[in-house]
Amino acid sequence: MNIPMNKRQFLAAGATAAAGLVLSGSAKPAVAQQATGTSGRAAQPVRKVKTTRVFKCPSGFPNGIAASPEGLWVGEQKLTGDQAARYGVPEPDDVLENAWLLDWNTGEVLKTVRTESRNTSGMAYGEGYIWMVANAAPNGVFQTDMNSRTVSHRQIPLGGGGNHGAKFRHGKLWVVSTRLRAMMRIDPNTWQPELLIPYHPTKRHHDMAFDEDGNIWLVTGENASTRWSEATFGLDKYHAETGELLESVEFVSGSADPHGLEIYNGVMYTCDAGIHPNWPTNDSPHAGYILRVDFV
């Protein structure tokens, strides 16, 4: 792919989102709306959302969700090594991380797929596969079939590193790259990056989801809090082609700590993993739950 900038320049642009570069399928960077603006429109009142519990996930840290007609897929996150010590949790006896297919109404486990992902922080379901994205070594994207067989393991393009979300849409895989601080669209067959949308450079980000109009909703937060009770969370809405920031909304006090995000049949869902930097483990009262997200 011919990009008119060297790798150092490209990574710097993605990391800071200073220029708001979007990498198109033609490999020619185009200028998009900066991640901190909304096309110069007059300021609108900030809309609010709240979370309502739907059902509890299987035991473990749920940190990624993906919709399917058969049920809701949930990606399990486990902590090992330095991360387990950091969060004060015991080392797991089994390091393989599960993807659970849960009944939409009851949360009953309909199927379990075991994956080789580590510290999963984002998952997708598409073309009959689970796509678990690791946030710890060996990092990368683990493509797993319904028989728990690893089909491929590949690093996030343009530098690898960690991830905080993933989705599969129209035959393409999207990931939330923490190293590039951007949402990236990848062709899952050639593994070539097609689109890069930098996100707000100072916020903490998690999963992404697409609404009926094709816009991207991205979970946001901050790193300064030390307890759930003092934290703030939000959602940023982006145009999926231009990268323009269309809207920012806020969660009302008492809402869950959103990690995974999905929109299915017009309803938005999230999951609360129960772990957060600088917080006690399971400090959120919604830890381990799937929750509906509604505007108020």
Side-chain angles (χ1 to χ4, degrees), residues 4-61:
M5 60 175 70
N6 63 38
K7 183 177 179 181
R8 182 186 299 274
Q9 293 170 323
F10 184 82
L11 292 176
T16 64
L21 293 178
V22 172
L23 182 64
S24 71
S26 64
K28 295 180 180 179
V31 177
Q33 185 71 26
Q34 285 198 1
T36 55
T38 53
S39 290
R41 294 192 298 269
Q44 300 294 321
V46 176
R47 293 199 290 169
K48 306 285 186 177
V49 292
K50 67 175 183 177
T51 60
T52 302
R53 294 179 185 177
V54 179
F55 51 72
K56 190 78 177 285
C57 292
S59 178
F61 302 120

Side-chain angles (χ1 to χ4, degrees), residues 4-292:
M5 60 175 70
N6 63 38
K7 183 177 179 181
R8 182 186 299 274
Q9 293 170 323
F10 184 82
L11 292 176
T16 64
L21 293 178
V22 172
L23 182 64
S24 71
S26 64
K28 295 180 180 179
V31 177
Q33 185 71 26
Q34 285 198 1
T36 55
T38 53
S39 290
R41 294 192 298 269
Q44 300 294 321
V46 176
R47 293 199 290 169
K48 306 285 186 177
V49 292
K50 67 175 183 177
T51 60
T52 302
R53 294 179 185 177
V54 179
F55 51 72
K56 190 78 177 285
C57 292
S59 178
F61 302 120
N63 200 351
I65 56 178
S68 75
E70 297 76 24
L72 179 68
W73 286 98
V74 179
E76 178 187 25
Q77 179 184 30
K78 293 180 179 178
L79 302 177
T80 59
D82 292 342
Q83 291 175 327
R86 176 185 176 189
Y87 287 94
V89 299
E91 290 275 356
D93 295 329
D94 176 11
V95 298
L96 295 182
E97 298 185 354
N98 295 316
W100 299 294
L101 179 64
L102 307 183
D103 182 272
W104 276 108
N105 298 311
T106 66
E108 175 188 358
V109 179
L110 305 176
K111 185 177 181 62
T112 298
V113 173
R114 291 170 60 74
T115 81
E116 296 183 82
S117 183
R118 302 292 293 273
N119 190 26
T120 296
S121 188
M123 71 165 301
Y125 172 75
E127 298 188 343
Y129 299 105
I130 297 296
W131 307 78
M132 298 275 271
V133 193
N135 203 35
N139 294 113
V141 182
F142 290 83
Q143 178 187 3
T144 308
D145 68 17
M146 293 296 105
N147 296 315
S148 302
R149 180 179 68 91
T150 300
V151 176
S152 68
H153 172 220
R154 294 172 286 193
Q155 298 299 315
I156 294 174
L158 304 175
N163 167 83
H164 271 177
K167 282 295 171 286
F168 207 93
R169 177 176 170 83
H170 297 333
K172 306 294 183 179
L173 177 67
W174 289 77
V175 299
V176 181
S177 169
T178 56
R179 180 172 183 176
L180 296 177
R181 301 192 64 77
M183 297 171 283
M184 180 190 297
R185 188 179 73 205
I186 304 169
D187 185 304
N189 299 309
T190 64
W191 210 244
Q192 292 299 306
E194 297 181 334
L195 186 71
L196 189 73
I197 300 178
Y199 51 66
H200 194 289
T202 62
K203 295 180 181 179
R204 175 177 175 82
H205 296 83
H206 284 290
D207 204 3
M208 60 185 294
F210 289 86
D211 64 20
E212 295 86 344
D213 296 324
N215 298 309
I216 300 172
W217 291 87
L218 180 67
V219 175
T220 68
E222 40 76 31
N223 292 313
S225 60
T226 58
R227 299 298 299 261
W228 166 81
S229 58
E230 63 188 42
T232 58
F233 320 107
L235 297 167
D236 281 348
K237 179 182 177 181
Y238 291 87
H239 191 286
E241 293 297 331
T242 67
E244 177 188 356
L245 177 62
L246 302 174
E247 183 182 12
S248 294
V249 304
E250 298 174 354
F251 284 83
V252 301
S253 177
S255 294
D257 177 18
H259 287 71
L261 193 69
E262 183 59 285
I263 299 174
Y264 184 68
N265 287 340
V267 180
M268 183 179 291
Y269 298 90
T270 188
C271 63
D272 188 328
I275 54 175
H276 189 109
N278 304 317
W279 294 9
T281 301
N282 291 324
D283 191 47
S284 166
H286 308 290
Y289 277 89
I290 297 297
L291 308 102
R292 192 178 69 247

